[in-house]
């Protein structure tokens, strides 16, 4: 299976409040053949996830309003969304300490900004379930 | 049995025996101060002395002493005491205390005087040691490199050391809380009161204010002073000035905060920069001019931001001196507006630019002034960006002037600020944007406007928006710059 057929039409939701980061990630992932949804806040991200049920979510931590940690917690508690793999993409060091893993399942992936796009792609390939 | 022994004692020992056996010099002198009789130790020490003048023997003088106690007793018939220096035959001078007593004849007249002279060298030595040790303790107390005060039960100051008097004044008798903290009532959790209560030493950190109004952080230790009955009579309080340590600690904390906030902010900007590069290169590859343009804007925007963060940092790291030059302010403001129009478009903010071209020129540091205005307008953009409660947002950038000032007016209908944010907004490292902000921008902007002898007026209401008015004097005051 080559890259394009692996990624074709597969939905990824990018949640980040920085327009430049959203633009970068969505363009890059679209170029790689994904169907990219975007949201510029935690609440928009949750709404978009519930409406369109993506197969993977990239999530920023520090956002005005609902933070990425709260988004992760809500995703994990939602029966419809709880199994979607989440990759945290953040500039905050040591953010892991902010999450109580006794209550929330850890994110499937974690990347520090600035990111290496190839590393992100590898991580996505690893986390996406093969299409049936 | 004991009575028998007493009888035996008085019977067998004569006054002559006591006189001779006395361990101190004893002599009997006549009215002309000649020695009539002397005891054994006197004779052993001074040799044959009968008939000689006492001052010849005792002091090796050739005339009588001033204030001679023997002479006084002859005159008043009373016992007398005085301190004298006796010169021994080997030349040593020894302090003695001299007691004189009259010997009365049958007619009641003083016929002779008995003189008892006791060597008080050990007493003198003890006195000297005591004086020395007192002086040492006084020096320790006075010169200790901390503030020392002794307080009574009422919290009144009884003693203070030199350093205390220098910095807090000589207020013996005043309440310690008045002197240390300019308070009208005792402090909560007073360590002195705790020591009076339990007799133990207590420590605390206090902020005190000196005579000249300087605030200091002090580390206070107390100890009880107990009297012979074991009661706590007073409490000694020692305060060490740790202001410098606390300041250093503050600076280190700030440095840590700085590194943390800068690194997070810069990481985000680098991602934006990477994004711009990606858009630019793939746009060129795929021949998509729109993408190239978007990428170029992203690079410009993020590079500009990084530049601004670095300049802020430089400003803080080394208070950069402004470089003043005469600048047409309309052009400067227009340049800023052009730089920010694209960002406003991206954020779908109505950027209302209204720049009067009649403000003329002014002597300013264009670089730092431009950075400061961009910082404030950027904050206005952010305040709109995070506001989810309004349909549309605007940021106003207006340039006008009155008789004395150039006025930059920057207003927005973003989230606004609550009271705490308003009070702290110019503080270093305070950011209302959480980990997204560096807390450098407004701090630096305020410094820059201060350097221009200008003022920043802020009106803001939570949920409604914010107005910044920056007033710069048209004529630069060059004093003290």
């Amino acid at each position: 299976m080559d890259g394009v057929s692996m990624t074709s039409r597969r939905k990824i939701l990018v949640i980040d409040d920085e327009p430049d980061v959203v633009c970068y990630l969505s363009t890059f992932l679209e170029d790689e053949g994904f169907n990219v949804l975007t949201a510029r806040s935690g609440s928009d991200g949750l709404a978009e996830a519930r409406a369109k049920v993506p197969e993977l979510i990239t999530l920023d931590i520090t956002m005005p309003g609902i933070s990425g940690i709260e988004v992760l917690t809500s995703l994990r508690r939602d029966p419809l969304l709880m199994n979607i793999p989440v990759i945290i993409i953040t500039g905050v060091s040591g953010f892991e300490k902010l999450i109580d893993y006794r209550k929330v399942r850890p994110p499937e992936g974690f990347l520090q900004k600035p990111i290496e796009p190839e590393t992100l792609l590898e991580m996505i390939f690893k986390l996406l379930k093969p299409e049936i | 049995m004991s009575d028998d022994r007493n009888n035996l004692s008085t019977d067998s020992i004569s006054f002559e025996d006591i006189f001779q056996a006395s361990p101190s010099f004893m002599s009997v002198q006549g009215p002309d101060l000649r020695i009539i009789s002397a005891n054994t130790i006197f004779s052993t020490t001074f040799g044959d002395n009968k008939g000689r003048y006492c001052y010849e023997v005792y002091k090796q003088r050739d005339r009588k002493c001033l204030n001679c106690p023997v002479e006084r007793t002859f005159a008043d018939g009373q016992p007398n005491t005085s301190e004298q220096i006796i010169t021994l035959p080997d030349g040593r001078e020894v302090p003695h205390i001299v007691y004189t007593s009259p010997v009365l004849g049958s007619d009641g007249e003083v016929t002779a005087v008995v003189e008892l002279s006791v060597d008080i060298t050990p007493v003198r030595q003890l006195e000297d040691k005591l004086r020395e040790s007192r002086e040492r303790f006084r020096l320790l107390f006075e010169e200790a490199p901390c503030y020392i005060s002794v307080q009574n039960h009422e919290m009144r100051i009884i003693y203070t050391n030199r350093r205390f008097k220098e910095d807090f004044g000589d207020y013996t008798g005043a309440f310690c809380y008045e002197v240390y903290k300019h308070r009208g009532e005792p402090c909560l959790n007073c360590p002195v009161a705790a020591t009076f209560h339990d007799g133990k030493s207590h420590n605390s950190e206090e902020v005190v204010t000196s005579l000249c109004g300087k605030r200091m952080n002090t580390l206070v230790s107390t100890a009880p002073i107990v009297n012979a009955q074991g009661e706590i009579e007073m409490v000694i309080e020692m305060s060490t000035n740790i202001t410098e340590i606390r300041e250093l600690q503050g600076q280190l904390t700030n440095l840590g905060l700085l590194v943390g906030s800068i690194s997070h902010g810069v990481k985000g900007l680098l991602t934006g920069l990477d994004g711009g590069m990606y858009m630019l290169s793939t746009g060129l590859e795929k021949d998509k001019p729109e993408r190239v343009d978007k990428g170029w804007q992203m690079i410009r925007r993020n590079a500009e931001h990084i530049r601004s963060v670095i300049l802020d940092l430089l400003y803080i790291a080394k208070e950069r001196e402004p470089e003043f030059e005469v600048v047409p302010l309309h052009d400067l403001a227009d340049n800023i507006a052009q730089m920010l129009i694209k960002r406003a478009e991206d954020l779908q903010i109505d950027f209302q630019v209204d720049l009067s071209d009649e403000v003329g020129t002014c002597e300013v540091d264009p670089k730092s002034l431009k950075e400061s205005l961009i910082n404030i307008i950027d904050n206005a953009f952010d305040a709109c960006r995070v506001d989810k409660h309004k349909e549309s947002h605007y940021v106003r950038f207006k340039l006008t002037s009155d008789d004395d000032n150039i006025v930059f007016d920057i207003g927005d209908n973003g989230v606004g600020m609550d009271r705490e944010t308003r009070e702290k907004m110019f503080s270093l490292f305070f950011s209302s944007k959480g980990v997204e902000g560096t807390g450098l921008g407004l701090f630096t902007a305020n410094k820059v406007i201060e350097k221009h002898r200008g003022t920043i007026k802020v009106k803001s209401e939570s949920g409604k928006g914010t107005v910044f008015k920056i007033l710069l004097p048209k004529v630069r005051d060059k004093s003290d710059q």
Side-chain angles (χ1 to χ4, degrees), chain B residues 41 193 216:
Chain B
I41 188 169
M216 302 178 209

Side-chain angles (χ1 to χ4, degrees), chain B residues 308-337:
Chain B
S308 149
V309 171
I310 303 284
L311 281 178
D312 283 350
L313 253 183
L314 291 178
Y315 204 93
I316 290 163
K318 186 186 176 198
E319 287 233 341
R320 199 184 68 189
E321 279 309 309
E323 289 167 16
F324 286 96
E325 54 184 281
V326 179
V327 174
L329 285 179
H330 176 272
D331 294 0
L332 182 134
D334 191 48
N335 189 266
I336 292 170

Side-chain angles (χ1 to χ4, degrees), chain B residues 198-299:
Chain B
D198 63 12
K200 290 178 182 159
S201 186
H202 287 270
N203 299 306
S204 70
E205 193 175 328
E206 307 285 339
V207 177
V208 296
T209 310
S210 76
L211 209 53
C212 60
K214 202 172 126 196
R215 286 169 80 81
M216 302 178 209
N217 295 74
T218 55
L219 197 63
V220 177
S221 301
T222 58
I225 299 176
V226 178
N227 66 15
Q229 286 75 47
E231 298 154 342
I232 301 170
E233 211 163 58
M234 290 176 276
V235 167
I236 185 164
E237 182 180 50
M238 298 170 79
S239 306
T240 312
N241 186 351
I242 54 162
T243 313
E244 277 182 26
I245 297 171
R246 283 284 170 265
E247 278 172 2
L248 193 67
Q249 214 169 30
Q251 281 169 14
L252 286 173
T253 312
N254 283 349
L255 197 67
L257 279 174
L258 179 72
V259 171
S261 63
I262 296 292
S263 76
H264 173 258
V266 169
K267 278 178 198 168
L269 294 173
L270 287 176
T271 311
L273 204 60
D274 281 351
M277 305 277 273
Y278 177 82
M279 301 287 283
L280 189 70
S281 60
T282 55
L284 288 170
E285 248 172 52
K286 296 174 196 275
D287 194 22
K288 290 184 174 171
E290 262 184 39
R291 193 188 275 204
V292 172
D293 185 47
K294 206 167 186 180
W296 179 239
Q297 295 298 337
M298 278 167 78
I299 291 173

Side-chain angles (χ1 to χ4, degrees), chain B residues 371-387:
Chain B
E371 291 300 332
S372 303
L373 292 168
I374 290 174
N375 251 320
I376 295 170
I377 299 171
D378 249 348
N379 277 343
F381 286 162
D382 275 328
C384 294
R385 182 172 62 92
V386 298
D387 180 37

